[in-house]
Amino acid sequence: MGRVPTLEKVMRLEAVIDAPQSQPNGLAIFNVPSGEITGDGFTAKIIDPSGDWSRTISPNVMALDVRVSALLEDGSYMYIIYPGRVVINETVAAKMANGETIDGSEIYFTTTPSVETNSPELQWMNDALFVGAMQTNTMPTAEKPGHLVYDVYKIV
């Protein structure tokens, strides 16, 4: 029987999200002005430019196109890009519209990050595959920014 991959948690990404720019054809562009990435032995600050180009691809599904730039404590950089899918049900849609916090157990919100870094200690990330699972999400409103928390797992 061949190898069955397992998951190993490697980092948590917490991001502040601005209200989106609504573009034609179901595109919403979210600026990500700040946040923090923490892992075993490292911390990074999310820096500009970072953002999410989400597109509605069906009435209840959004396709994510996220790009995050981060500065590590040692002065190295980390660049994370990830596609993903968000499947929105009626309960979650109401919470999103009201700026309420959504728990990861309430929604399918999954990503497949790729990491590039020039950090000598984190070179292994350049060669690994990852999967991300949203833990909590509060959508931004005109009055306040949103907040998103992902856990990211290495596929072992």
Side-chain angles (χ1 to χ4, degrees), residues 82-104:
Y82 54 89
R85 289 292 187 268
V86 179
V87 180
I88 302 165
N89 58 47
E90 289 180 21
T91 303
V92 168
K95 285 185 167 188
M96 291 172 90
N98 294 327
E100 296 176 42
T101 299
I102 301 160
D103 185 79

Side-chain angles (χ1 to χ4, degrees), residues 37-49:
I37 302 167
T38 54
D40 187 18
F42 74 92
T43 302
K45 297 289 182 193
I46 294 174
I47 58 173
D48 287 332

Side-chain angles (χ1 to χ4, degrees), residues 64-125:
L64 303 177
D65 178 7
V66 179
R67 292 147 196 275
V68 173
S69 184
L71 179 63
L72 291 146
E73 292 174 311
D74 68 0
S76 300
Y77 289 96
M78 179 181 284
Y79 176 58
I80 305 172
I81 64 170
Y82 54 89
R85 289 292 187 268
V86 179
V87 180
I88 302 165
N89 58 47
E90 289 180 21
T91 303
V92 168
K95 285 185 167 188
M96 291 172 90
N98 294 327
E100 296 176 42
T101 299
I102 301 160
D103 185 79
S105 65
E106 298 177 279
I107 187 172
Y108 184 86
F109 195 131
T110 305
T111 66
T112 54
S114 294
V115 178
E116 297 175 24
T117 182
N118 61 349
S119 168
E121 291 79 27
L122 299 177
Q123 286 297 298
W124 62 269
M125 288 186 162

Side-chain angles (χ1 to χ4, degrees), residues 14-31:
E14 296 191 42
V16 173
I17 305 162
D18 289 340
Q21 302 169 16
S22 294
Q23 300 287 333
N25 302 315
L27 178 63
I29 302 173
F30 295 84
N31 182 45

